[in-house]
Amino acid sequence: MRILATDGIDKSAVEKFTADGFEVVEKFYEPAELGEALKDFDVVIVRSATKLKDHAILDAAKGSNLKLIIRAGVGLDNIDVPYAKACGFEVRNTPRAAQNPVAELALGHMLSCARHINISGYTMRNGQWEKKAYSKGMELKGKTLGIVGFGRIGQRLGEIAKGIGMTVVAYDIFHVEGIEEKMGIKYVEMDELLAMSDVISVHAPAADGGALINKENIAKMKDGVIIVNTSRGANVDEAALLEALNSGKVKAAGLDVFMTESISNPELVNHPAVSATPHIGSGTKEAQKMIGTELVEIVEEFAKR
């Protein structure tokens, strides 16, 4: 089989595919060229940079050698899954690898926001010793964490947060049977979560109905709340968040994802109460190897059919 990895994959996966007798091509194609290129491959592996939402791209590859599309990561919002399946393509992802690194990054942003780590380090590098300004941080122990989206990543963050003494509640449109008893984490309705949480961390797919964290929902939150988003940029209304940061309604925000994969909102990114990272949620050596392992498992299983 021929495998196209448009956004790169871990070296260990390439080596295993090669040992299996598969040909791996690592090459990024612009949208205008991608559909035609896909015809020559049995499998395409994409990450965030490659978008397979344009029907023209999928139509061009329909009826060709291409049979399997894999998203090397959790979210599938850069792929029109129903249309891809209608074209005869199987669509898979690698859900296991991202749960721990993304949860750890979310915790890192929570700590950075609570203890002013980002801004105090920045001012020190600018020659300022602002001890008094940043000596009134907030401890996370004893605070309530509201997790919006309680899948693998949300559950892992819940485990970690409970370990440092936080009370954890969760909102999700799907309830995993037995999870409340197993984890000791209660499902609540969205409005209840917004009202009771000191910290809110978003781990949901991009919502069709618009941003989950919007002006209306921010108004329902506690004054001085911390908001963390390591899911999808579309889940947070950036203008509403910036307004709330400036007014003090939101104490701080930890953001790994944005509306665009670039600094298109410098006022938000450079805000002194924002801890920002450039979409590095699953960016650990361990996660990339795990993603590679999952990719190999999926392709090997597919090849045996």
Side-chain angles (χ1 to χ4, degrees):
M1 291 200 305
R2 300 191 75 222
I3 301 168
L4 173 64
T6 59
D7 305 321
I9 54 175
D10 191 73
K11 180 182 176 182
S12 62
V14 176
E15 291 173 348
K16 187 65 172 68
F17 283 139
T18 303
D20 285 341
F22 304 148
E23 179 187 353
V24 180
V25 175
E26 296 184 80
K27 182 177 180 180
F28 178 80
Y29 286 91
E30 294 296 336
E33 305 170 325
L34 182 57
E36 195 65 29
L38 291 175
K39 294 180 179 181
D40 296 327
F41 295 90
D42 302 279
V43 180
V44 60
I45 299 170
V46 304
R47 295 179 67 87
S48 298
T50 298
K51 314 296 182 187
L52 292 175
K53 297 181 74 71
D54 186 338
H55 290 185
I57 294 174
L58 297 169
D59 285 340
K62 190 162 53 176
S64 68
N65 292 333
L66 186 68
K67 295 295 183 290
L68 177 62
I69 298 170
I70 311 175
R71 164 72 163 90
V74 179
L76 288 165
D77 48 301
N78 59 326
I79 303 170
D80 188 331
V81 176
Y83 194 79
K85 289 182 176 179
C87 290
F89 307 127
E90 183 175 335
V91 181
R92 300 284 298 274
N93 65 348
T94 59
R96 300 197 308 269
Q99 62 191 58
N100 191 68
V102 177
E104 286 189 0
L105 182 66
L107 177 67
H109 277 298
M110 287 161 55
L111 289 164
S112 181
C113 291
R115 297 302 306 274
H116 311 294
I117 295 171
N118 184 59
I119 183 60
S120 61
Y122 172 78
T123 54
M124 286 185 71
R125 288 189 292 276
N126 281 326
Q128 299 167 271
W129 186 262
E130 300 285 354
K131 179 177 180 179
K132 184 178 291 187
Y134 302 122
S135 291
K136 294 182 180 179
M138 181 180 89
E139 293 185 23
L140 296 179
K141 181 181 179 181
K143 302 301 189 296
T144 298
L145 168 64
I147 299 176
V148 179
F150 205 50
R152 292 173 183 265
I153 297 170
Q155 290 170 31
R156 178 63 184 134
L157 177 61
E159 290 176 342
I160 297 171
K162 285 192 68 180
I164 62 171
M166 299 188 80
T167 298
V168 183
V169 295
Y171 167 78
D172 200 305
I173 57 173
F174 301 107
H175 286 201
V176 180
E177 189 174 349
I179 199 77
E180 291 183 275
E181 294 76 13
K182 179 183 176 182
M183 298 189 67
I185 293 174
K186 182 183 177 183
Y187 281 111
V188 296
E189 293 302 317
M190 184 67 164
D191 282 357
E192 187 178 357
L193 181 147
L194 295 173
M196 68 189 300
S197 300
D198 301 292
V199 182
I200 295 172
S201 192
V202 184
H203 299 281
D208 293 335
L212 293 167
I213 306 301
N214 53 28
K215 188 170 185 176
E216 180 183 0
N217 280 343
I218 290 173
K220 298 174 183 177
M221 299 176 189
K222 286 183 176 182
D223 292 343
V225 67
I226 291 172
I227 296 172
V228 174
N229 185 22
T230 56
S231 59
R232 290 292 180 263
N235 280 332
V236 173
D237 182 328
E238 293 182 355
L241 176 60
L242 184 59
E243 181 182 343
L245 286 165
N246 287 334
S247 72
K249 172 69 177 181
V250 174
K251 171 185 172 67
L255 305 173
D256 185 49
V257 287
F258 302 86
M259 286 300 297
T260 61
E261 291 278 291
S262 63
I263 302 178
S264 60
N265 193 338
E267 189 177 357
L268 180 64
V269 172
N270 291 304
H271 196 285
V274 169
S275 173
T277 48
H279 200 171
I280 58 171
S282 60
T284 65
K285 295 176 182 178
E286 295 87 351
Q288 296 312 306
K289 285 187 177 180
M290 176 60 79
I291 288 173
T293 299
E294 288 192 73
L295 290 171
V296 171
E297 290 173 357
I298 292 168
V299 174
E300 288 182 339
E301 182 268 332
F302 180 79
K304 292 176 182 177
R305 295 179 192 172

